[in-house]
Amino acid sequence: MDTGGNWSRHQGALRHVRICELSGQLAGAGATRILAAFGAQVIRIEDPVTKGLWDIVRQLGPMINNDTSHEGGSGFNNHNVEKLGVTIDLRKERGKELLRDLVRRSDAVTENFSSGVMGRLGFDYDDLKELKPDIVYVSNSGFGHSGPYTPFKSWGPIVQAVGGLTFASGLPDQQPAGWGYSYMDHTGGYMMAVALLAALFHRRRTGEGQWVDMACMEAAASLNGPGLLDATVNGRPLARPGMPNSNRSQYPLMAPHGIYPTVEPDRWVAIACRDEADWAELGPLLDAPVGDRFADLDTLDKVTAAWTGQRTRGEVVAALRPRGVPVAPVLLPSERCDSEQAAIDWGLFPTAVHTKHGRVRVDGLPVHMSRTDWQIEHGGPLLGEDNVRVFHEVLGIPVDEVERLHDAGVI
Amino acid sequence: MGPLDGVRVVELTDELSAWAGKLMADLGADVIVVEPPGGSRQRSYGPFLDDEPGPERSLYWWHYNTSKHSVVLDGSDATDRARLATLVGGADVLLAAHALDRASFAADNERLITVSVLAPENSVDLTLLAEGGPAWSCGYDDHTLPPVRGGGNQGFHTASHWAVISTLVALLEREESGLGQHIDVSALAASNVTTELATYGWLSCGVEVQRQTGRHANSVVSMPTQLRCADGRYVNAGIIARKPAEFDIVLAWLDSHGLRDEFPLTAFLEMGSAGMEITGATLRDDPVVLEVVMSVREAQEFVANRVPAYEFFTSAQRFGLAAGIVYAPEELFDDPHLQARGWPTAVEHPELGTTHTYPGAPYRFSATPWAITRRAPLLGEDQPLLAP
């Protein structure tokens, strides 16, 4: 780790870690945002020529304060809190030199370009190892750096499709519902963070760096649950009549188990009946057939829906929660973010200060650590916002020289 | 040898955090799962080997407990409680899916990292995903159909991912300070921050999303991205072209299927190819720009109607057009790319005399590879670890 001082903006758990980030979109940015919230100094490298727009998230809606420029993307701000932003034109030799110098002073480099891009720029793992033998290098791409799909392109919904997650989410006799957002951008980011932290831990103890090739398709594929073994061990595929039905419980078996309508249009409530004790509470409330509740799940769902359909979400929850039956309203974003006491008590949606837009609420972290907790105060960096700070303070370049680099279009 | 080699984790068994233990165990940590007499509840969950229940036949247990060790301890027995204290005293991490009294475990081991994965009382994966936000965003354009829970226990997985991330942060920090600490992980909060623009769109822009079939929930209705191909299977192909070169690619792709002349909207693609400013603003203001953009969509449908899903996927990708086949999970084991990368992983079950195929590495470490070092433990198989 860098022992030259604490480069982070706060005294976090990872204040000794410096990451040179060439990743972006949501998956790559999402991984390093976590480390930044724990105090790692994450230096985001962006292209001045395209105003950072190789990462389309910079200008992807919804836009903060209707700012349609590259400083307005709400996802960009959310996923780049607590990071430093610099610009380097990597087409220029002087730009490459600047990046080489940053790599020499970093613990890790992250990127999520398509396979081959970093190599063409002269920054694949072998190149980086020359610059810093113990560098940790984490690549996150859709399909990884070997195998027949290596050149293929992707984003969240595509790796969710090829990774089996889209198929596994839906109702019978319908096309796949899939995920209504890039679940694998989040989760690919989480797995990338696991890989990055594990590799940093190994390096901290042994001095050995390494390269992690993460393919989001494989990460997604590993998330399909125990049904994968039902297929390989028992030969029972998920693609079979009546399946998938992901609102039903597969493992363990529960019934009823589903998302049911309420008296209000498009407001829903989830109910799960785990065992006979739950059923003894729920069953008498329903106009249910006596006997085996597993015998006819379609009828059981209809009976359950008939009961919930006469009530509001609040009434269903009030009826079942005191009885110990698993129940939850399907909450809208506005309800989750503004009204849920648990989220407020947790401090789950902190306010970060964006240099152009001021105070903006963002995702916090769903963990709290007793000694070295996370902290989010700064929003995503403006394009090149930290050029002077990084090139002067980290690389030791005189401020007037930084200005000349800017005037020459190098940064 | 994995990157977490030498890290000892004591995991008090629970389905909410089992995935966290597995992730660390497959990365080389020495994970000892503590089961009650009679075994973890997970052992009673199906599916079962040959559909016959039994504590050593649960594929649920097999899946979530690879590379771990098992000891049995009776929490109601004073001797066993003392043995647990001894076990934890020699550990780096104590992982549990309930609140922990850190002081009672860390009195003699200030380096201990205690991790509590917490969920509301009487939660299951379904209720976490309903209350935590994901369900609202998943489902169909037809809102008489209910929102959909994403399959595969993702509420549990998400909580576990955060448990592993925060544990690793604490392990790295301990290298500097020499001190452990306590970590609370909220499973409900974990889903709450794993919903992309549903959350940050509301937080920063006051936008509330609505679910749409097979694509991003949004405040505005977007173009479908899921296409049914000639073989009845689906692809996801939200291809968007903005630059002339991107339209050229779509045209070349049509050519490769011999469909350029047959496709009725080729003229619009050619307008895109000739150059046109396609931005949010021009899309709003100029109907022709919209037609040009839509022609890419129409071209995809035109091809989908004529070729099977796998051919659509690979032919589009060969031209640099991002698309993906909607695979059923079981098909992943036969996919040529994952086979070439060695993703399907053979795991021996010596007591059965069989070898079974498991899902493989989510990430590839060049120096310290991910590995399933052993099939899930038999009940109490590693009881000797309790010996002083």
Side-chain angles (χ1 to χ4, degrees):
Chain A
M1 304 288 144
D2 191 295
T3 51
N6 168 27
W7 293 102
S8 74
R9 303 197 217 200
H10 68 271
Q11 291 290 320
L14 303 179
R15 61 190 176 278
H16 300 283
V17 176
R18 178 180 293 141
I19 295 163
C20 187
E21 164 161 73
L22 290 123
S23 57
Q25 315 297 335
L26 292 180
T32 49
R33 114 191 261 280
I34 301 169
L35 278 75
F38 281 112
Q41 187 184 55
V42 178
I43 301 173
R44 205 188 138 83
I45 317 292
E46 300 190 87
D47 177 31
V49 178
T50 58
K51 292 189 172 150
L53 290 182
W54 65 263
D55 184 352
I56 59 164
V57 177
R58 248 201 181 280
Q59 203 171 356
L60 201 64
M63 314 305 290
I64 303 171
N65 295 332
N66 298 313
D67 175 2
T68 54
S69 80
H70 58 278
E71 306 295 5
S74 57
F76 179 86
N77 177 59
N78 191 73
H79 274 58
N80 290 286
V81 291
E82 290 298 322
K83 299 180 189 175
L84 302 176
V86 303
T87 46
I88 301 179
D89 184 352
L90 293 172
R91 302 165 194 84
K92 293 187 162 72
E93 184 49 35
R94 181 71 182 108
K96 288 183 200 287
E97 274 174 38
L98 289 174
L99 180 55
R100 287 187 201 109
D101 281 346
L102 275 175
V103 170
R104 288 189 189 101
R105 289 166 173 78
S106 296
D107 301 293
V109 174
T110 60
E111 60 98 1
N112 67 330
F113 288 106
S114 294
S115 177
V117 172
M118 288 293 282
R120 286 196 291 278
L121 289 169
F123 293 97
D124 65 16
Y125 177 56
D126 287 338
D127 300 319
L128 298 182
K129 210 167 44 171
E130 291 278 308
L131 299 170
K132 193 156 199 298
D134 65 343
I135 197 79
V136 165
Y137 182 56
V138 182
S139 303
N140 176 349
S141 59
F143 297 97
H145 290 246
S146 67
Y149 304 164
T150 303
F152 286 11
K153 292 180 181 170
S154 75
W155 49 76
I158 288 175
V159 292
Q160 285 154 211
V162 296
L165 297 175
T166 300
F167 182 91
S169 299
L171 301 175
D173 307 320
Q174 301 288 334
Q175 61 176 298
W179 285 77
Y181 57 101
S182 289
Y183 175 71
M184 275 316 291
D185 278 2
H186 282 283
T187 301
Y190 298 160
M191 291 215 171
M192 185 181 184
V194 167
L196 175 58
L197 288 162
L200 282 169
F201 181 69
H202 174 76
R203 172 180 179 269
R204 178 66 178 77
R205 291 189 309 167
T206 66
E208 181 181 46
Q210 60 184 312
W211 178 43
V212 182
D213 173 21
M214 196 186 114
C216 262
M217 178 185 181
E218 289 173 330
S222 74
L223 288 166
N224 283 290
L228 286 171
L229 292 188
D230 204 17
T232 62
V233 176
N234 287 334
R236 181 181 294 118
L238 187 60
R240 61 183 194 268
M243 293 294 280
N245 183 347
S246 60
N247 283 0
R248 293 252 172 95
S249 169
Q250 286 100 54
Y251 317 113
L253 199 54
M254 301 183 227
H257 182 285
I259 296 177
Y260 300 100
T262 65
V263 72
E264 301 163 289
D266 204 19
R267 295 293 181 270
W268 306 82
V269 66
I271 298 174
C273 193
R274 294 163 295 186
D275 50 26
E276 291 309 314
D278 286 343
W279 182 236
E281 297 290 340
L282 176 63
L285 303 178
L286 308 179
D287 184 18
V290 180
D292 182 0
R293 64 194 158 101
F294 295 104
D296 181 356
L297 295 175
D298 288 339
T299 299
L300 185 64
D301 274 343
K302 280 189 189 122
V303 167
T304 307
W307 181 73
T308 61
Q310 299 164 34
R311 289 160 176 81
T312 64
R313 285 179 298 169
E315 287 165 352
V316 173
V317 171
L320 296 185
R321 203 160 264 178
R323 295 170 192 263
V325 179
V327 60
V330 175
L331 289 181
L332 279 63
S334 54
E335 296 168 331
R336 291 188 292 110
C337 296
D338 295 348
S339 313
E340 277 293 284
Q341 197 56 45
I344 294 165
D345 293 345
W346 189 270
L348 191 57
F349 301 113
T351 298
V353 178
H354 184 275
T355 303
K356 181 174 179 184
H357 293 292
R359 294 160 61 82
V360 183
R361 284 204 296 164
V362 294
D363 282 322
L365 273 54
V367 301
H368 282 304
M369 295 174 66
S370 61
R371 281 198 305 103
T372 58
D373 207 8
W374 55 274
Q375 188 174 317
I376 292 176
E377 293 180 345
H378 297 81
L382 301 183
L383 188 68
E385 177 169 354
D386 301 292
N387 278 356
V388 173
R389 180 190 168 108
V390 170
F391 295 126
H392 176 60
E393 293 182 21
V394 178
L395 296 189
I397 299 172
V399 172
D400 57 348
E401 171 66 13
V402 174
E403 283 165 12
R404 277 196 294 277
L405 287 169
H406 180 264
D407 294 342
V410 174
I411 63 173
Chain B
M1 195 189 78
L4 304 185
D5 187 55
V7 174
R8 174 166 280 196
V9 179
V10 174
E11 177 194 334
L12 306 183
T13 182
D14 192 283
E15 64 209 70
L16 181 59
S17 51
W19 179 247
K22 171 184 161 66
L23 288 174
M24 291 190 276
D26 292 342
L27 286 176
D30 176 22
V31 178
I32 302 169
V33 59
V34 177
E35 301 189 66
S40 169
R41 187 169 56 186
Q42 294 166 63
R43 293 180 182 273
S44 70
Y45 293 170
F48 296 99
L49 172 63
D50 299 330
D51 294 332
E52 286 175 34
E56 306 301 355
R57 305 179 69 85
S58 161
L59 305 186
Y60 190 104
W61 176 260
W62 288 15
H63 178 70
Y64 283 115
N65 293 279
T66 55
S67 308
K68 298 181 189 174
H69 301 286
S70 161
V71 299
V72 175
L73 289 171
D74 183 353
S76 67
D77 178 276
T79 310
D80 273 8
R81 284 200 302 275
R83 293 162 104 188
L84 176 62
T86 304
L87 188 66
V88 173
D92 300 285
V93 178
L94 173 62
L95 171 67
H98 52 74
L100 284 169
D101 175 17
R102 174 177 167 79
S104 70
F105 287 105
D108 301 322
N109 181 6
E110 64 179 11
R111 290 174 58 80
L112 182 69
I113 293 160
T114 46
V115 187
S116 292
V117 185
L118 304 168
E121 203 179 352
N122 296 313
S123 300
V124 295
D125 187 74
L126 171 73
T127 56
L128 287 172
L129 292 176
E131 196 160 7
W136 174 258
S137 294
C138 302
Y140 297 95
D141 293 307
D142 176 358
H143 283 198
T144 64
L145 293 169
V148 167
R149 171 183 76 131
N153 296 340
Q154 307 308 334
F156 292 171
H157 291 167
T158 301
S160 284
H161 289 142
W162 281 99
V164 176
I165 288 168
S166 52
T167 300
L168 293 174
V169 169
L171 280 167
L172 260 175
E173 196 278 339
R174 193 183 70 170
E175 291 294 309
E176 308 298 332
S177 70
L179 297 171
Q181 56 184 316
H182 181 71
I183 302 168
D184 278 331
V185 180
S186 162
L188 190 56
S191 274
N192 256 299
V193 297
T194 306
T195 72
E196 207 192 352
L197 78 158
T199 300
Y200 64 67
W202 175 259
L203 290 174
S204 53
C205 303
V207 164
E208 191 133 75
V209 301
Q210 304 288 333
R211 61 192 185 277
Q212 311 189 86
T213 307
R215 62 199 194 278
H216 274 54
N218 211 324
S219 58
V220 291
V221 177
S222 62
M223 279 191 289
T225 58
Q226 204 157 261
L227 298 166
R228 193 167 187 270
C229 290
D231 58 355
R233 308 183 65 203
Y234 288 89
V235 290
N236 186 296
I239 297 168
I240 297 168
R242 288 166 189 265
K243 299 173 191 160
E246 292 165 346
F247 286 92
D248 290 343
I249 290 169
V250 175
L251 285 163
W253 177 54
L254 276 177
D255 270 336
S256 77
H257 289 288
L259 296 172
R260 180 171 178 148
D261 294 333
E262 208 179 313
F263 178 53
L265 301 179
T266 292
F268 284 108
L269 292 175
E270 287 167 347
M271 286 170 72
S273 162
M276 177 173 266
E277 193 189 348
I278 299 172
T279 63
T282 60
L283 269 170
R284 272 192 304 274
D285 301 339
D286 185 344
V288 177
V289 174
L290 185 62
E291 289 299 324
V292 168
V293 169
M294 290 295 290
S295 68
V296 175
R297 169 78 204 163
E298 298 285 339
Q300 294 169 62
E301 274 189 18
F302 198 74
V303 175
N305 286 334
R306 286 160 180 79
V307 304
Y310 188 78
E311 187 184 334
F312 183 106
F313 162 50
T314 51
S315 75
Q317 285 279 9
R318 273 198 298 277
F319 280 88
L321 300 168
I325 185 169
V326 177
Y327 269 141
E330 55 271 13
E331 293 178 293
L332 297 163
F333 295 98
D334 300 322
D335 175 75
H337 183 68
L338 294 191
Q339 286 193 341
R341 284 173 63 85
W343 180 79
T345 300
V347 176
E348 263 189 81
H349 286 252
E351 66 290 336
L352 299 173
T354 53
T355 297
H356 294 291
T357 305
Y358 279 59
Y363 21 54
R364 284 149 197 285
F365 290 73
S366 65
T368 56
W370 175 99
I372 293 178
T373 51
R374 193 178 70 169
R375 48 100 182 101
L378 307 178
L379 181 59
E381 182 173 9
D382 304 290
Q383 209 71 2
L385 289 171
L386 295 172

